[in-house]
Amino acid sequence: MQTHDNSSGQVQPPATPFDWIGGESAVHALVERFYDLMELDPAYRELRASHGASLDEARQKLAWFLTGWLGGPQHYIERFGHPRLKMRHMPFKIGIVERDQWLACMDQAMAETGVPEALRQRLQQSFFQTADWMRNQPGA
């Protein structure tokens, strides 16, 4: 999705990543594909193991979180307050393997759900910074 700036005739990306990705339905499709891949692809085994028996709650919370983080409605904050990501993830083992599998799984989900390449690259950088900061296993 791109918009035209009528004064210069140049094509500019939408105002927010949320608009650029295609809104709430696109965020939900991305999250669904992300967790489907996690469940189906053995390449994400350790990542899947760190999530417990059911992914239902994780699917909903990630969709709410990403919607707001990308510039859309703040569903997560309205329900749970500040995300406090590091604190909320402390009970889960997050090492280099889990970080790298999360990033690979999200990148695959973005590719498969048609996230525009320029946005995908921007999100990859942001996701890496956050995922690396979330690690709680020293040297792992």
Side-chain angles (χ1 to χ4, degrees), residues 54-119:
S54 172
L55 294 176
D56 294 341
E57 185 177 350
R59 285 175 191 265
Q60 186 61 71
K61 285 183 175 180
L62 183 59
W64 285 333
F65 173 77
L66 285 180
T67 294
W69 182 76
L70 290 167
Q74 296 295 321
H75 300 311
Y76 186 93
I77 290 173
E78 290 167 2
R79 288 166 175 82
F80 305 107
H82 189 281
R84 298 186 302 249
L85 291 178
K86 191 154 186 141
M87 182 201 77
R88 292 185 198 268
H89 286 80
M90 285 307 287
F92 309 103
K93 176 185 179 275
I94 304 173
I96 291 172
V97 169
E98 292 80 9
R99 176 202 67 192
D100 290 351
Q101 287 183 12
W102 194 99
L103 292 167
C105 189
M106 181 55 76
D107 187 55
Q108 184 176 348
M110 286 192 294
E112 291 183 10
T113 58
V115 173
E117 185 60 30
L119 176 58

Short mmCIF file of all heavy atoms in Angstrom, two decimals, residues 54-119:
data_model
loop_
_atom_site.label_atom_id
_atom_site.label_comp_id
_atom_site.label_asym_id
_atom_site.label_seq_id
_atom_site.Cartn_x
_atom_site.Cartn_y
_atom_site.Cartn_z
N SER A 54 -0.03 -24.83 24.73
CA SER A 54 -0.96 -24.17 23.82
C SER A 54 -0.40 -22.82 23.36
O SER A 54 0.21 -22.10 24.15
CB SER A 54 -2.31 -23.93 24.50
OG SER A 54 -3.14 -23.13 23.68
N LEU A 55 -0.64 -22.51 22.11
CA LEU A 55 -0.20 -21.22 21.57
C LEU A 55 -1.34 -20.22 21.46
O LEU A 55 -1.14 -19.09 21.00
CB LEU A 55 0.42 -21.43 20.17
CG LEU A 55 1.72 -22.22 20.14
CD1 LEU A 55 2.16 -22.44 18.69
CD2 LEU A 55 2.81 -21.52 20.93
N ASP A 56 -2.54 -20.59 21.88
CA ASP A 56 -3.71 -19.73 21.71
C ASP A 56 -3.52 -18.36 22.36
O ASP A 56 -3.77 -17.32 21.73
CB ASP A 56 -4.97 -20.40 22.26
CG ASP A 56 -5.36 -21.63 21.46
OD1 ASP A 56 -4.89 -21.78 20.30
OD2 ASP A 56 -6.12 -22.46 21.99
N GLU A 57 -3.11 -18.35 23.62
CA GLU A 57 -2.93 -17.07 24.32
C GLU A 57 -1.79 -16.26 23.69
O GLU A 57 -1.90 -15.04 23.52
CB GLU A 57 -2.64 -17.32 25.80
CG GLU A 57 -2.57 -16.05 26.61
CD GLU A 57 -2.35 -16.29 28.10
OE1 GLU A 57 -2.46 -17.46 28.55
OE2 GLU A 57 -2.09 -15.32 28.81
N ALA A 58 -0.71 -16.94 23.33
CA ALA A 58 0.42 -16.24 22.72
C ALA A 58 0.01 -15.61 21.39
O ALA A 58 0.41 -14.48 21.08
CB ALA A 58 1.59 -17.22 22.51
N ARG A 59 -0.78 -16.32 20.60
CA ARG A 59 -1.25 -15.79 19.32
C ARG A 59 -2.01 -14.48 19.53
O ARG A 59 -1.77 -13.48 18.86
CB ARG A 59 -2.18 -16.79 18.62
CG ARG A 59 -1.50 -17.97 17.99
CD ARG A 59 -2.54 -18.95 17.43
NE ARG A 59 -1.96 -20.21 17.04
CZ ARG A 59 -1.59 -20.51 15.80
NH1 ARG A 59 -1.76 -19.63 14.83
NH2 ARG A 59 -1.07 -21.69 15.52
N GLN A 60 -2.94 -14.49 20.46
CA GLN A 60 -3.77 -13.30 20.70
C GLN A 60 -2.94 -12.15 21.23
O GLN A 60 -3.07 -11.01 20.76
CB GLN A 60 -4.91 -13.62 21.66
CG GLN A 60 -5.88 -12.49 21.82
CD GLN A 60 -6.57 -12.12 20.51
OE1 GLN A 60 -7.39 -12.86 20.01
NE2 GLN A 60 -6.21 -10.99 19.93
N LYS A 61 -2.08 -12.43 22.20
CA LYS A 61 -1.28 -11.36 22.80
C LYS A 61 -0.30 -10.75 21.81
O LYS A 61 -0.11 -9.53 21.79
CB LYS A 61 -0.56 -11.87 24.05
CG LYS A 61 -1.48 -12.02 25.23
CD LYS A 61 -0.73 -12.44 26.47
CE LYS A 61 -1.66 -12.47 27.67
NZ LYS A 61 -0.94 -12.90 28.90
N LEU A 62 0.32 -11.59 20.97
CA LEU A 62 1.25 -11.04 19.98
C LEU A 62 0.50 -10.19 18.96
O LEU A 62 0.98 -9.12 18.57
CB LEU A 62 2.06 -12.13 19.29
CG LEU A 62 3.10 -11.62 18.30
CD1 LEU A 62 4.13 -10.70 18.96
CD2 LEU A 62 3.81 -12.79 17.60
N ALA A 63 -0.66 -10.63 18.54
CA ALA A 63 -1.45 -9.84 17.58
C ALA A 63 -1.82 -8.49 18.19
O ALA A 63 -1.69 -7.44 17.54
CB ALA A 63 -2.70 -10.60 17.16
N TRP A 64 -2.27 -8.49 19.44
CA TRP A 64 -2.61 -7.23 20.11
C TRP A 64 -1.38 -6.34 20.24
O TRP A 64 -1.42 -5.14 19.98
CB TRP A 64 -3.19 -7.49 21.49
CG TRP A 64 -4.60 -7.98 21.50
CD1 TRP A 64 -5.57 -7.77 20.56
CD2 TRP A 64 -5.21 -8.78 22.53
NE1 TRP A 64 -6.74 -8.38 20.94
CE2 TRP A 64 -6.55 -9.00 22.13
CE3 TRP A 64 -4.76 -9.31 23.72
CZ2 TRP A 64 -7.44 -9.74 22.92
CZ3 TRP A 64 -5.64 -10.04 24.50
CH2 TRP A 64 -6.97 -10.26 24.10
N PHE A 65 -0.26 -6.95 20.68
CA PHE A 65 0.96 -6.17 20.87
C PHE A 65 1.45 -5.57 19.56
O PHE A 65 1.73 -4.37 19.47
CB PHE A 65 2.06 -7.03 21.50
CG PHE A 65 3.38 -6.31 21.55
CD1 PHE A 65 3.61 -5.34 22.50
CD2 PHE A 65 4.36 -6.58 20.61
CE1 PHE A 65 4.81 -4.64 22.53
CE2 PHE A 65 5.56 -5.89 20.62
CZ PHE A 65 5.79 -4.92 21.58
N LEU A 66 1.59 -6.41 18.51
CA LEU A 66 2.11 -5.91 17.25
C LEU A 66 1.21 -4.84 16.63
O LEU A 66 1.71 -3.90 16.02
CB LEU A 66 2.31 -7.06 16.25
CG LEU A 66 3.52 -7.96 16.49
CD1 LEU A 66 3.59 -9.05 15.43
CD2 LEU A 66 4.81 -7.16 16.53
N THR A 67 -0.09 -4.99 16.79
CA THR A 67 -1.01 -3.98 16.26
C THR A 67 -0.66 -2.60 16.82
O THR A 67 -0.52 -1.63 16.07
CB THR A 67 -2.47 -4.35 16.59
OG1 THR A 67 -2.80 -5.55 15.89
CG2 THR A 67 -3.44 -3.25 16.21
N GLY A 68 -0.48 -2.50 18.12
CA GLY A 68 -0.12 -1.23 18.74
C GLY A 68 1.30 -0.80 18.44
O GLY A 68 1.57 0.37 18.17
N TRP A 69 2.23 -1.74 18.48
CA TRP A 69 3.64 -1.45 18.25
C TRP A 69 3.86 -0.90 16.85
O TRP A 69 4.70 -0.04 16.64
CB TRP A 69 4.45 -2.72 18.49
CG TRP A 69 5.92 -2.58 18.34
CD1 TRP A 69 6.79 -2.00 19.23
CD2 TRP A 69 6.72 -3.05 17.25
NE1 TRP A 69 8.07 -2.08 18.75
CE2 TRP A 69 8.05 -2.72 17.53
CE3 TRP A 69 6.42 -3.71 16.06
CZ2 TRP A 69 9.09 -3.03 16.68
CZ3 TRP A 69 7.46 -4.02 15.21
CH2 TRP A 69 8.78 -3.68 15.52
N LEU A 70 3.07 -1.37 15.91
CA LEU A 70 3.19 -0.91 14.53
C LEU A 70 2.47 0.42 14.28
O LEU A 70 2.56 0.98 13.19
CB LEU A 70 2.64 -1.98 13.58
CG LEU A 70 3.47 -3.25 13.46
CD1 LEU A 70 2.69 -4.34 12.75
CD2 LEU A 70 4.79 -2.98 12.75
N GLY A 71 1.74 0.92 15.27
CA GLY A 71 1.09 2.21 15.14
C GLY A 71 -0.42 2.16 15.04
O GLY A 71 -1.06 3.17 14.77
N GLY A 72 -0.99 0.99 15.27
CA GLY A 72 -2.44 0.83 15.24
C GLY A 72 -3.04 0.96 16.63
O GLY A 72 -2.39 1.45 17.57
N PRO A 73 -4.27 0.49 16.79
CA PRO A 73 -4.93 0.54 18.10
C PRO A 73 -4.11 -0.17 19.18
O PRO A 73 -3.49 -1.20 18.92
CB PRO A 73 -6.26 -0.18 17.85
CG PRO A 73 -6.48 -0.11 16.38
CD PRO A 73 -5.12 -0.11 15.76
N GLN A 74 -4.13 0.38 20.37
CA GLN A 74 -3.32 -0.12 21.49
C GLN A 74 -4.05 -1.21 22.28
O GLN A 74 -4.23 -1.11 23.49
CB GLN A 74 -2.93 1.05 22.39
CG GLN A 74 -2.05 2.08 21.71
CD GLN A 74 -0.69 1.51 21.33
OE1 GLN A 74 -0.08 0.74 22.07
NE2 GLN A 74 -0.20 1.90 20.16
N HIS A 75 -4.46 -2.26 21.61
CA HIS A 75 -5.23 -3.34 22.25
C HIS A 75 -4.49 -3.97 23.44
O HIS A 75 -5.09 -4.25 24.47
CB HIS A 75 -5.57 -4.44 21.25
CG HIS A 75 -6.39 -3.98 20.10
ND1 HIS A 75 -7.53 -3.22 20.23
CD2 HIS A 75 -6.24 -4.19 18.76
CE1 HIS A 75 -8.04 -2.98 19.03
NE2 HIS A 75 -7.27 -3.55 18.13
N TYR A 76 -3.20 -4.20 23.28
CA TYR A 76 -2.44 -4.85 24.35
C TYR A 76 -2.38 -3.95 25.58
O TYR A 76 -2.69 -4.39 26.69
CB TYR A 76 -1.02 -5.21 23.87
CG TYR A 76 -0.27 -5.99 24.91
CD1 TYR A 76 -0.27 -7.38 24.88
CD2 TYR A 76 0.42 -5.37 25.95
CE1 TYR A 76 0.38 -8.11 25.85
CE2 TYR A 76 1.07 -6.08 26.91
CZ TYR A 76 1.06 -7.46 26.87
OH TYR A 76 1.71 -8.18 27.85
N ILE A 77 -2.00 -2.71 25.39
CA ILE A 77 -1.87 -1.77 26.51
C ILE A 77 -3.21 -1.55 27.20
O ILE A 77 -3.28 -1.47 28.44
CB ILE A 77 -1.23 -0.45 26.04
CG1 ILE A 77 0.24 -0.69 25.68
CG2 ILE A 77 -1.38 0.65 27.08
CD1 ILE A 77 0.94 0.49 25.05
N GLU A 78 -4.29 -1.48 26.43
CA GLU A 78 -5.62 -1.32 27.02
C GLU A 78 -5.97 -2.48 27.95
O GLU A 78 -6.67 -2.29 28.95
CB GLU A 78 -6.68 -1.22 25.91
CG GLU A 78 -6.62 0.07 25.12
CD GLU A 78 -7.44 0.03 23.85
OE1 GLU A 78 -8.12 -0.99 23.57
OE2 GLU A 78 -7.41 1.03 23.11
N ARG A 79 -5.50 -3.67 27.63
CA ARG A 79 -5.83 -4.85 28.43
C ARG A 79 -4.83 -5.12 29.56
O ARG A 79 -5.21 -5.59 30.63
CB ARG A 79 -5.90 -6.07 27.52
CG ARG A 79 -7.13 -6.07 26.63
CD ARG A 79 -7.00 -7.11 25.51
NE ARG A 79 -8.21 -7.20 24.73
CZ ARG A 79 -8.53 -6.37 23.74
NH1 ARG A 79 -7.74 -5.36 23.42
NH2 ARG A 79 -9.65 -6.54 23.07
N PHE A 80 -3.55 -4.88 29.29
CA PHE A 80 -2.52 -5.33 30.22
C PHE A 80 -1.59 -4.24 30.73
O PHE A 80 -0.71 -4.50 31.53
CB PHE A 80 -1.65 -6.42 29.56
CG PHE A 80 -2.45 -7.58 29.04
CD1 PHE A 80 -2.64 -7.74 27.68
CD2 PHE A 80 -3.02 -8.49 29.90
CE1 PHE A 80 -3.38 -8.80 27.18
CE2 PHE A 80 -3.76 -9.56 29.42
CZ PHE A 80 -3.95 -9.71 28.05
N GLY A 81 -1.73 -3.02 30.23
CA GLY A 81 -0.81 -1.96 30.61
C GLY A 81 0.47 -2.03 29.79
O GLY A 81 0.52 -2.68 28.74
N HIS A 82 1.51 -1.39 30.28
CA HIS A 82 2.79 -1.35 29.59
C HIS A 82 3.27 -2.78 29.31
O HIS A 82 3.16 -3.64 30.18
CB HIS A 82 3.83 -0.61 30.44
CG HIS A 82 5.10 -0.35 29.71
ND1 HIS A 82 6.06 -1.32 29.53
CD2 HIS A 82 5.56 0.76 29.09
CE1 HIS A 82 7.07 -0.82 28.84
NE2 HIS A 82 6.78 0.45 28.57
N PRO A 83 3.80 -3.03 28.11
CA PRO A 83 4.20 -4.40 27.77
C PRO A 83 5.28 -5.01 28.66
O PRO A 83 5.26 -6.22 28.88
CB PRO A 83 4.72 -4.26 26.33
CG PRO A 83 4.09 -3.04 25.80
CD PRO A 83 3.88 -2.13 26.97
N ARG A 84 6.21 -4.22 29.18
CA ARG A 84 7.28 -4.76 30.03
C ARG A 84 7.79 -6.09 29.46
O ARG A 84 7.78 -7.13 30.13
CB ARG A 84 6.80 -4.92 31.47
CG ARG A 84 6.41 -3.61 32.11
CD ARG A 84 6.07 -3.76 33.57
NE ARG A 84 4.99 -4.71 33.79
CZ ARG A 84 3.78 -4.40 34.21
NH1 ARG A 84 3.48 -3.16 34.48
NH2 ARG A 84 2.86 -5.33 34.38
N LEU A 85 8.21 -6.05 28.22
CA LEU A 85 8.55 -7.27 27.48
C LEU A 85 9.57 -8.14 28.19
O LEU A 85 9.38 -9.36 28.30
CB LEU A 85 9.07 -6.91 26.08
CG LEU A 85 8.04 -6.33 25.12
CD1 LEU A 85 8.70 -5.98 23.80
CD2 LEU A 85 6.90 -7.31 24.90
N LYS A 86 10.66 -7.55 28.63
CA LYS A 86 11.71 -8.37 29.24
C LYS A 86 11.19 -9.06 30.50
O LYS A 86 11.41 -10.25 30.70
CB LYS A 86 12.94 -7.52 29.54
CG LYS A 86 14.13 -8.37 29.91
CD LYS A 86 15.41 -7.66 29.59
CE LYS A 86 16.56 -8.59 29.84
NZ LYS A 86 17.60 -8.48 28.85
N MET A 87 10.49 -8.33 31.34
CA MET A 87 9.96 -8.91 32.57
C MET A 87 8.97 -10.04 32.26
O MET A 87 9.02 -11.11 32.86
CB MET A 87 9.27 -7.85 33.41
CG MET A 87 8.73 -8.38 34.74
SD MET A 87 7.43 -7.34 35.44
CE MET A 87 6.05 -7.79 34.41
N ARG A 88 8.07 -9.80 31.31
CA ARG A 88 7.05 -10.81 30.99
C ARG A 88 7.65 -12.06 30.35
O ARG A 88 7.02 -13.12 30.38
CB ARG A 88 5.99 -10.21 30.08
CG ARG A 88 5.14 -9.15 30.77
CD ARG A 88 4.01 -8.66 29.86
NE ARG A 88 3.44 -7.42 30.29
CZ ARG A 88 2.40 -7.29 31.09
NH1 ARG A 88 1.83 -8.37 31.58
NH2 ARG A 88 1.93 -6.11 31.40
N HIS A 89 8.84 -11.95 29.78
CA HIS A 89 9.47 -13.10 29.14
C HIS A 89 10.51 -13.80 30.02
O HIS A 89 11.08 -14.81 29.61
CB HIS A 89 10.10 -12.68 27.81
CG HIS A 89 9.10 -12.44 26.74
ND1 HIS A 89 8.37 -11.27 26.64
CD2 HIS A 89 8.67 -13.23 25.72
CE1 HIS A 89 7.55 -11.34 25.61
NE2 HIS A 89 7.71 -12.52 25.03
N MET A 90 10.75 -13.29 31.22
CA MET A 90 11.75 -13.89 32.10
C MET A 90 11.48 -15.37 32.42
O MET A 90 12.42 -16.14 32.54
CB MET A 90 11.91 -13.08 33.39
CG MET A 90 12.68 -11.78 33.20
SD MET A 90 14.30 -11.95 32.41
CE MET A 90 15.24 -12.69 33.73
N PRO A 91 10.23 -15.80 32.56
CA PRO A 91 10.01 -17.22 32.87
C PRO A 91 10.40 -18.17 31.73
O PRO A 91 10.48 -19.38 31.93
CB PRO A 91 8.50 -17.31 33.12
CG PRO A 91 8.04 -15.92 33.37
CD PRO A 91 8.99 -15.03 32.62
N PHE A 92 10.66 -17.64 30.55
CA PHE A 92 10.94 -18.48 29.40
C PHE A 92 12.43 -18.44 29.06
O PHE A 92 13.05 -17.38 29.11
CB PHE A 92 10.14 -18.00 28.18
CG PHE A 92 8.67 -17.85 28.48
CD1 PHE A 92 8.12 -16.60 28.69
CD2 PHE A 92 7.85 -18.96 28.58
CE1 PHE A 92 6.77 -16.45 28.98
CE2 PHE A 92 6.50 -18.83 28.87
CZ PHE A 92 5.96 -17.57 29.07
N LYS A 93 12.98 -19.59 28.70
CA LYS A 93 14.38 -19.66 28.30
C LYS A 93 14.52 -19.00 26.93
O LYS A 93 13.94 -19.46 25.94
CB LYS A 93 14.83 -21.12 28.22
CG LYS A 93 16.25 -21.30 27.72
CD LYS A 93 16.59 -22.77 27.54
CE LYS A 93 17.99 -22.94 27.01
NZ LYS A 93 18.10 -22.85 25.57
N ILE A 94 15.28 -17.92 26.89
CA ILE A 94 15.53 -17.22 25.63
C ILE A 94 17.04 -17.05 25.48
O ILE A 94 17.65 -16.21 26.12
CB ILE A 94 14.83 -15.85 25.57
CG1 ILE A 94 13.33 -16.00 25.80
CG2 ILE A 94 15.11 -15.19 24.22
CD1 ILE A 94 12.59 -14.70 25.94
N GLY A 95 17.60 -17.91 24.66
CA GLY A 95 19.02 -17.84 24.34
C GLY A 95 19.20 -17.48 22.87
O GLY A 95 18.25 -17.08 22.19
N ILE A 96 20.40 -17.65 22.39
CA ILE A 96 20.69 -17.33 20.99
C ILE A 96 19.87 -18.21 20.05
O ILE A 96 19.34 -17.72 19.05
CB ILE A 96 22.20 -17.45 20.71
CG1 ILE A 96 22.94 -16.31 21.44
CG2 ILE A 96 22.48 -17.40 19.22
CD1 ILE A 96 24.45 -16.41 21.41
N VAL A 97 19.72 -19.49 20.39
CA VAL A 97 18.94 -20.40 19.53
C VAL A 97 17.50 -19.93 19.42
O VAL A 97 16.95 -19.82 18.32
CB VAL A 97 19.02 -21.85 20.05
CG1 VAL A 97 18.01 -22.75 19.34
CG2 VAL A 97 20.42 -22.40 19.88
N GLU A 98 16.88 -19.63 20.56
CA GLU A 98 15.48 -19.18 20.55
C GLU A 98 15.35 -17.84 19.85
O GLU A 98 14.40 -17.63 19.07
CB GLU A 98 14.94 -19.10 21.98
CG GLU A 98 14.78 -20.43 22.67
CD GLU A 98 16.08 -21.00 23.25
OE1 GLU A 98 17.11 -20.28 23.28
OE2 GLU A 98 16.07 -22.17 23.66
N ARG A 99 16.29 -16.94 20.10
CA ARG A 99 16.26 -15.63 19.43
C ARG A 99 16.33 -15.81 17.92
O ARG A 99 15.52 -15.26 17.17
CB ARG A 99 17.44 -14.78 19.89
CG ARG A 99 17.55 -13.44 19.15
CD ARG A 99 18.93 -12.83 19.18
NE ARG A 99 19.89 -13.64 18.44
CZ ARG A 99 21.20 -13.47 18.50
NH1 ARG A 99 21.73 -12.54 19.27
NH2 ARG A 99 22.01 -14.23 17.78
N ASP A 100 17.30 -16.60 17.47
CA ASP A 100 17.49 -16.78 16.03
C ASP A 100 16.32 -17.51 15.39
O ASP A 100 15.93 -17.19 14.26
CB ASP A 100 18.80 -17.51 15.75
CG ASP A 100 20.02 -16.64 16.06
OD1 ASP A 100 19.87 -15.42 16.32
OD2 ASP A 100 21.15 -17.19 16.03
N GLN A 101 15.73 -18.48 16.09
CA GLN A 101 14.57 -19.17 15.55
C GLN A 101 13.36 -18.23 15.50
O GLN A 101 12.59 -18.26 14.54
CB GLN A 101 14.25 -20.42 16.37
CG GLN A 101 15.23 -21.54 16.13
CD GLN A 101 14.89 -22.82 16.87
OE1 GLN A 101 13.81 -22.97 17.42
NE2 GLN A 101 15.85 -23.75 16.89
N TRP A 102 13.19 -17.39 16.51
CA TRP A 102 12.08 -16.42 16.49
C TRP A 102 12.23 -15.50 15.28
O TRP A 102 11.27 -15.28 14.55
CB TRP A 102 12.06 -15.60 17.79
CG TRP A 102 10.79 -14.85 18.01
CD1 TRP A 102 9.75 -15.22 18.80
CD2 TRP A 102 10.40 -13.59 17.41
NE1 TRP A 102 8.74 -14.27 18.72
CE2 TRP A 102 9.11 -13.27 17.89
CE3 TRP A 102 11.02 -12.71 16.52
CZ2 TRP A 102 8.43 -12.10 17.51
CZ3 TRP A 102 10.33 -11.54 16.14
CH2 TRP A 102 9.07 -11.26 16.64
N LEU A 103 13.43 -14.97 15.08
CA LEU A 103 13.66 -14.06 13.98
C LEU A 103 13.45 -14.75 12.63
O LEU A 103 12.83 -14.17 11.73
CB LEU A 103 15.08 -13.48 14.06
CG LEU A 103 15.33 -12.55 15.25
CD1 LEU A 103 16.82 -12.30 15.43
CD2 LEU A 103 14.56 -11.25 15.08
N ALA A 104 13.95 -15.97 12.48
CA ALA A 104 13.79 -16.70 11.22
C ALA A 104 12.32 -17.03 10.96
O ALA A 104 11.83 -16.90 9.83
CB ALA A 104 14.63 -17.98 11.24
N CYS A 105 11.63 -17.43 12.00
CA CYS A 105 10.21 -17.77 11.86
C CYS A 105 9.40 -16.53 11.49
O CYS A 105 8.55 -16.58 10.59
CB CYS A 105 9.71 -18.38 13.18
SG CYS A 105 8.05 -19.08 13.11
N MET A 106 9.68 -15.40 12.13
CA MET A 106 8.96 -14.17 11.81
C MET A 106 9.30 -13.71 10.41
O MET A 106 8.41 -13.26 9.66
CB MET A 106 9.28 -13.07 12.84
CG MET A 106 8.55 -11.77 12.59
SD MET A 106 6.73 -11.90 12.48
CE MET A 106 6.30 -12.10 14.22
N ASP A 107 10.57 -13.83 10.01
CA ASP A 107 10.93 -13.42 8.66
C ASP A 107 10.22 -14.29 7.62
O ASP A 107 9.71 -13.78 6.62
CB ASP A 107 12.45 -13.50 8.46
CG ASP A 107 12.85 -12.93 7.12
OD1 ASP A 107 12.52 -11.77 6.83
OD2 ASP A 107 13.50 -13.67 6.35
N GLN A 108 10.16 -15.59 7.86
CA GLN A 108 9.45 -16.48 6.95
C GLN A 108 7.96 -16.12 6.90
O GLN A 108 7.36 -16.07 5.83
CB GLN A 108 9.63 -17.94 7.37
CG GLN A 108 9.00 -18.92 6.41
CD GLN A 108 9.25 -20.37 6.77
OE1 GLN A 108 10.08 -20.69 7.63
NE2 GLN A 108 8.51 -21.27 6.13
N ALA A 109 7.37 -15.85 8.05
CA ALA A 109 5.96 -15.46 8.10
C ALA A 109 5.73 -14.15 7.35
O ALA A 109 4.74 -14.01 6.62
CB ALA A 109 5.49 -15.35 9.54
N MET A 110 6.64 -13.18 7.51
CA MET A 110 6.49 -11.91 6.79
C MET A 110 6.57 -12.14 5.29
O MET A 110 5.78 -11.57 4.53
CB MET A 110 7.55 -10.90 7.24
CG MET A 110 7.30 -10.32 8.62
SD MET A 110 8.35 -8.87 9.00
CE MET A 110 9.99 -9.58 9.05
N ALA A 111 7.50 -12.98 4.86
CA ALA A 111 7.64 -13.26 3.43
C ALA A 111 6.39 -13.94 2.89
O ALA A 111 5.88 -13.58 1.82
CB ALA A 111 8.88 -14.13 3.18
N GLU A 112 5.89 -14.92 3.64
CA GLU A 112 4.75 -15.70 3.16
C GLU A 112 3.43 -14.95 3.21
O GLU A 112 2.49 -15.33 2.53
CB GLU A 112 4.66 -17.01 3.94
CG GLU A 112 5.81 -17.95 3.63
CD GLU A 112 5.71 -19.28 4.35
OE1 GLU A 112 4.66 -19.59 4.95
OE2 GLU A 112 6.71 -20.03 4.31
N THR A 113 3.34 -13.92 4.02
CA THR A 113 2.10 -13.15 4.10
C THR A 113 2.18 -11.85 3.28
O THR A 113 1.27 -11.03 3.34
CB THR A 113 1.70 -12.84 5.56
OG1 THR A 113 2.76 -12.12 6.20
CG2 THR A 113 1.39 -14.12 6.32
N GLY A 114 3.26 -11.67 2.55
CA GLY A 114 3.35 -10.54 1.63
C GLY A 114 3.67 -9.20 2.24
O GLY A 114 3.29 -8.17 1.69
N VAL A 115 4.38 -9.18 3.36
CA VAL A 115 4.80 -7.90 3.93
C VAL A 115 5.73 -7.24 2.91
O VAL A 115 6.68 -7.88 2.42
CB VAL A 115 5.52 -8.10 5.28
CG1 VAL A 115 6.11 -6.78 5.80
CG2 VAL A 115 4.55 -8.68 6.31
N PRO A 116 5.48 -5.99 2.54
CA PRO A 116 6.33 -5.32 1.54
C PRO A 116 7.81 -5.37 1.93
O PRO A 116 8.15 -5.21 3.11
CB PRO A 116 5.81 -3.87 1.54
CG PRO A 116 4.40 -3.98 2.03
CD PRO A 116 4.40 -5.11 3.01
N GLU A 117 8.66 -5.61 0.95
CA GLU A 117 10.09 -5.83 1.22
C GLU A 117 10.73 -4.70 2.02
O GLU A 117 11.48 -4.95 2.96
CB GLU A 117 10.85 -6.04 -0.10
CG GLU A 117 12.31 -6.40 0.09
CD GLU A 117 12.56 -7.68 0.89
OE1 GLU A 117 11.71 -8.61 0.84
OE2 GLU A 117 13.59 -7.75 1.58
N ALA A 118 10.46 -3.46 1.69
CA ALA A 118 11.08 -2.34 2.42
C ALA A 118 10.63 -2.34 3.88
O ALA A 118 11.44 -2.10 4.79
CB ALA A 118 10.74 -1.01 1.76
N LEU A 119 9.38 -2.63 4.13
CA LEU A 119 8.88 -2.71 5.51
C LEU A 119 9.48 -3.92 6.21
O LEU A 119 9.88 -3.84 7.37
CB LEU A 119 7.35 -2.78 5.53
CG LEU A 119 6.71 -2.95 6.90
CD1 LEU A 119 7.09 -1.81 7.84
CD2 LEU A 119 5.19 -3.06 6.76
#
